[in-house]
Amino acid sequence: MSIYTIGVAAAQHIGAAATPQLKKIGNHVSEDGVNGGNKSRERSIGGSLAGSEQDVTLRAEDLCRINICGETFITTYKCLEEYPHTLLGSPDREKHFCPELNAYYFNRNRACFESVMLYYQTGEEYPPLNIDMDLWETEKEFYRLEFSDVKDYAISIEDSDSETGCSCRGGFHAKRKAVHDFLQNPRSSKIATVWHTVDIIFICVSIAFLVMETDPNLNVHFTSKTDEYYNIIYGINSFVIAFFSIDLVLRLATWPRFFSFWKNIFNVLDILSILPFYVA
């Protein structure tokens, strides 16, 4: 196990846990257009992130104002109507129009609404940080947001299974994807956050052990079975390696395509980092 491989793995997991959710959200301005105004805050939310830059010739009637418990978000009707099956993208939103505010008013969670707007920008799910996932599920149901990643993931698994001659059903696909999201996305649930936190801690422990092992004064604790600290250090190292091994096996078992697993350099580095423990 090398310091380089574990260091790269640490960067991978820390980076995954620290990835920001909001890719493009405009400046906060007051209702009259001046920062620090006394009226409700507004956020200018642009069109699709994957598309071209915002059209600077937008007219006032092209803009849609949405007020979430006093905070106003501004986007375009075109952006919303790209998803006509949703509440905001369908004529049903007119039931929530408030003439006094000149905006669509919703008494909903504001932190979750940022993730709702990201759905209209990207078509993908970016769960809010530090928000109970049950609350996020409730908000998704209210706004009628639908994500196709479960279906796409199932198709990928079916293609993989057809190559190996394995026949699986949708229920198995959903469970398999749930495990995959648990291992890959620390924001998928509170337990996933704990799992990734423990993973990072164990990576730091492994790096510390590697550094200590290079010290001639401490090396005896790692190599001499008669040393009083050998069994303690070996036990901790074995537990850490067992955790890494379980994580790796589950990732391999739930990866959408078997061969694409080996194309991911971090998966290969993870295998190389624990392999010396088993062959030594």
Side-chain angles (χ1 to χ4, degrees), residues 1 5-6 8-10 12-13 184 199 203 241 244-245 247-248 251 261 264-276:
M1 187 187 302
T5 55
I6 292 190
V8 172
Q12 173 200 12
H13 292 288
Q184 295 296 112
D199 194 20
I203 290 173
I241 294 297
F244 290 157
S245 300
D247 182 90
L248 185 62
R251 271 189 286 143
F261 175 87
N264 187 308
I265 184 62
F266 292 110
N267 291 334
V268 176
L269 290 175
D270 285 343
I271 293 175
L272 294 177
S273 66
I274 67 174
L275 192 61

Side-chain angles (χ1 to χ4, degrees), residues 195-196 198-199 202 238-248:
W195 180 275
H196 283 263
V198 172
D199 194 20
F202 282 175
S238 299
F239 185 80
V240 170
I241 294 297
F243 179 89
F244 290 157
S245 300
I246 293 173
D247 182 90
L248 185 62

